[in-house]
Amino acid sequence: MKTMKTMKTIGILRLRDIFLLLVLLSLALSCGSDDNGMDCPDPTNADCDQVGDDPQDDDPQDDDPQDDDPVVLEPTLSSVAPVTGPKHTEVVITGENFGTDPDKVSVSFNGTPGEVLGVTDTEVTVRVPARAYTGPITMEVDGFDLTGPEFVYELSEVNVETFAGTPEESGYEEGTGTAAKFDRPNDLVMDSKGNIFVVDRENNVIRKITPQGEVTTFAGGFGIGGAVVFNGPNGLAIDGDDNIYVADSGNDRIVKITPNGVWSIIAGGNGSGYVNGRGNLAQFNNPSAILVGENAGGSALYVSDINNHAIRRISLDDDQYTVNTYAGPEVSGQGGYMDGSLSGARFKSPWGMAKSGEGTILLADFGNSRIRAIDQDNENVGTFAGSDNGYVTDVPRSEARFRNPSDISVAGDETVYIADSDNSCIRQIDPEGHVTTIAGNPNSVGYNDGPGDEAQFNSPLGVLHTGEGEIYVADTFNHVIRKIIID
């Protein structure tokens, strides 16, 4: 009996040995050395092959071949500091899984690429590029797109130069740059090709300036629209098809000129007065500025009718060009200062206009030395900026003072630029409502190019923001077109 028990015990031990041997063999098949061409399921085992070390080592018999692909961890962005500053500010972006290869990381500010200075797995350092301007921070890390907060770009440099015209010398000459001559340029617009059109008031023509600065006559005089005779034109507007509209002030009419120079009178022209009606049956009294716009009533021209102290509307949705009063009094001569409904509001010699966002028209209320806001959706008029005639700057817009502002231009980020004509300055209202002077000095009227605080203007009447960092100014009594470059 003892012998049988001993043999039975030996048999059990052999079965256990066989089982253990099978387990060891199974492990050997799933985890071997680098020489056996098999992957290791335990990446902490230094003696095993790591996934992706050598594609030749991957086991072709692996029942899940995706296990052999490298694991890519998605990057995340957690914070950015600082989020405001001028050009060349060093910004630190923190997060995870950025890697360490700077060639796989790019950062842009408002769409303008910055200079990546350093990359770790949790931190990227980048330098803000010049002329980035306010906008979102975007990042690409090894094919992954990330979006950060908005970076508020602080202007560090403003420089003024002469773009076209002979400084302080009136005349009428074609030519390039300062070889050309103007006589009291008043207003300007830009077409889709980058050409600037200028009202050359005392020469009674519309001039064209190419991006290279070549000045020619576009309409009136000996231009391609030479048959049209202007009389002291003041304002311009341009639509999406590059049709130009002229406030022909001395003739009390609105003229349309197509890109190839065909012109027509669309409203007014039958004497001075205040009459609503269709096309040439309507009357104006010194129309000064035009804005192309839309509201619930359709496409239209909005006209500042100076001596009627009203904003008139010309319908563009039919061939009748019907004129009515949009804002201000229905009776001529009832100017003043009052906020309220469209019909109850009062202006004093309203001038330049610009669209601001959706449903708002900003207006240079020349005689009241204020910037007014027309809310088209709610059909009322308010005061956007200004408190009295004078000069107060570096203050909130409700405390600022202007002296006969004549024109307005609004940038894409809703920064407002104002030709503060009798202060001979170009003013700025930032999106937060703070008013500053970017160029010119009210105590030093004259002509001088250079940094913004050293530049001099002489009663500029027109201002046009054309893109990031470029503003053109009709410097009226210096008889030139100036260019402000903001960096």
Side-chain angles (χ1 to χ4, degrees):
M1 292 292 294
K2 184 176 181 181
T3 303
M4 289 180 66
K5 288 181 179 180
T6 301
M7 292 179 64
K8 187 176 182 179
T9 300
I10 292 172
I12 292 172
L13 289 173
R14 286 177 178 174
L15 288 173
R16 288 178 180 173
D17 290 343
I18 292 170
F19 176 78
L20 290 173
L21 187 61
L22 289 172
V23 170
L24 291 173
L25 180 60
S26 175
L27 290 173
L29 290 172
S30 62
C31 180
S33 67
D34 286 344
D35 295 332
N36 63 15
M38 299 180 183
D39 292 334
C40 177
D42 182 5
T44 62
N45 187 346
D47 294 329
C48 293
D49 293 339
Q50 299 300 307
V51 174
D53 280 352
D54 184 353
Q56 300 297 324
D57 290 344
D58 291 341
D59 183 2
Q61 302 301 319
D62 191 345
D63 52 357
D64 187 359
Q66 301 223 355
D67 290 346
D68 300 326
D69 295 335
V71 177
V72 179
L73 299 176
E74 185 172 345
T76 59
L77 187 157
S78 57
S79 66
V80 176
V83 291
T84 182
K87 66 177 181 179
H88 301 158
T89 298
E90 291 190 7
V91 172
V92 177
I93 302 172
T94 57
E96 295 182 346
N97 305 320
F98 293 151
T100 58
D101 187 350
D103 292 335
K104 294 183 177 181
V105 177
S106 63
V107 180
S108 294
F109 295 80
N110 195 30
T112 303
E115 180 185 358
V116 175
L117 302 176
V119 177
T120 70
D121 199 49
T122 59
E123 192 173 278
V124 173
T125 304
V126 59
R127 180 177 288 134
V128 176
R131 301 190 187 182
Y133 306 106
T134 299
I137 297 172
T138 54
M139 189 175 183
E140 183 177 335
V141 180
D142 198 16
F144 290 93
D145 293 324
L146 305 173
T147 301
E150 181 178 82
F151 185 85
V152 179
Y153 188 88
E154 296 177 349
L155 301 178
S156 56
E157 296 178 11
V158 176
N159 194 66
V160 180
E161 61 185 42
T162 300
F163 181 62
T166 304
E168 301 180 286
E169 186 177 332
S170 64
Y172 180 67
E173 292 287 345
E174 313 284 36
T176 300
T178 56
K181 289 184 179 181
F182 300 87
D183 195 346
R184 297 190 186 182
N186 263 45
D187 196 12
L188 17 67
V189 295
M190 177 179 280
D191 71 5
S192 60
K193 299 179 179 63
N195 300 302
I196 292 177
F197 295 84
V198 180
V199 170
D200 194 359
R201 179 180 170 85
E202 297 302 310
N203 283 320
N204 293 307
V205 295
I206 309 302
R207 312 290 287 278
K208 175 183 175 181
I209 311 175
T210 67
Q212 294 73 37
E214 182 182 357
V215 179
T216 56
T217 297
F218 175 70
F222 298 101
I224 60 175
V228 60
V229 178
F230 296 112
N231 182 10
N234 258 336
L236 290 179
I238 192 165
D239 65 20
D241 296 322
D242 287 342
N243 296 303
I244 292 175
Y245 301 90
V246 183
D248 190 6
S249 306
N251 286 320
D252 295 303
R253 65 186 185 179
I254 306 302
V255 175
K256 175 183 177 180
I257 309 172
T258 66
N260 59 3
V262 176
W263 68 277
S264 59
I265 300 170
I266 64 172
N270 287 319
S272 176
Y274 194 175
V275 176
N276 288 323
R278 176 175 52 83
N280 61 357
L281 299 179
Q283 288 186 330
F284 300 88
N285 192 347
N286 194 20
S288 61
I290 311 176
L291 174 69
V292 178
E294 293 185 0
N295 66 358
S299 300
L301 297 180
Y302 296 89
V303 179
S304 293
D305 197 358
I306 280 189
N307 291 343
N308 284 321
H309 308 291
I311 307 302
R312 314 287 291 279
R313 183 183 185 277
I314 306 174
S315 173
L316 296 179
D317 289 334
D318 54 39
D319 294 330
Q320 304 299 308
Y321 299 112
T322 302
V323 179
N324 58 38
T325 299
Y326 181 69
E330 292 279 354
V331 179
S332 179
Q334 293 187 347
Y337 172 67
M338 184 180 296
D339 289 334
S341 65
L342 293 179
S343 60
R346 294 294 179 264
F347 310 97
K348 188 176 181 180
S349 302
W351 208 309
M353 296 173 287
K355 290 183 288 187
S356 178
E358 294 293 330
T360 300
I361 295 175
L362 294 182
L363 167 70
D365 195 355
F366 184 88
N368 284 316
S369 293
R370 289 172 171 85
I371 307 302
R372 311 290 290 280
I374 302 175
D375 185 335
Q376 295 184 282
D377 295 331
N378 294 313
E379 298 187 340
N380 60 45
V381 178
T383 298
F384 180 76
S387 58
D388 203 350
N389 185 63
Y391 180 79
V392 177
T393 195
D394 202 15
V395 294
R397 55 187 168 93
S398 62
E399 301 174 16
R401 291 190 180 187
F402 306 92
R403 186 174 285 119
N404 301 126
S406 58
D407 200 16
I408 298 176
S409 188
V410 180
D413 65 354
E414 295 302 308
T415 299
V416 179
Y417 298 97
I418 300 165
D420 193 0
S421 59
D422 283 2
N423 277 321
S424 291
C425 294
I426 304 303
R427 314 288 291 278
Q428 172 188 281
I429 306 177
D430 67 25
E432 287 71 44
H434 195 75
V435 179
T436 54
T437 299
I438 63 168
N441 187 327
N443 299 314
S444 183
V445 175
Y447 171 80
N448 189 54
D449 284 340
D453 58 353
E454 298 178 11
Q456 292 178 320
F457 299 87
N458 191 348
S459 297
L461 291 180
V463 62
L464 175 66
H465 180 276
T466 61
E468 298 293 6
E470 291 187 351
I471 300 168
Y472 292 86
V473 178
D475 191 3
T476 305
F477 286 88
N478 278 323
H479 310 290
V480 291
I481 307 302
R482 313 286 287 280
K483 182 178 181 180
I484 302 175
I485 301 172
I486 304 177
D487 204 356

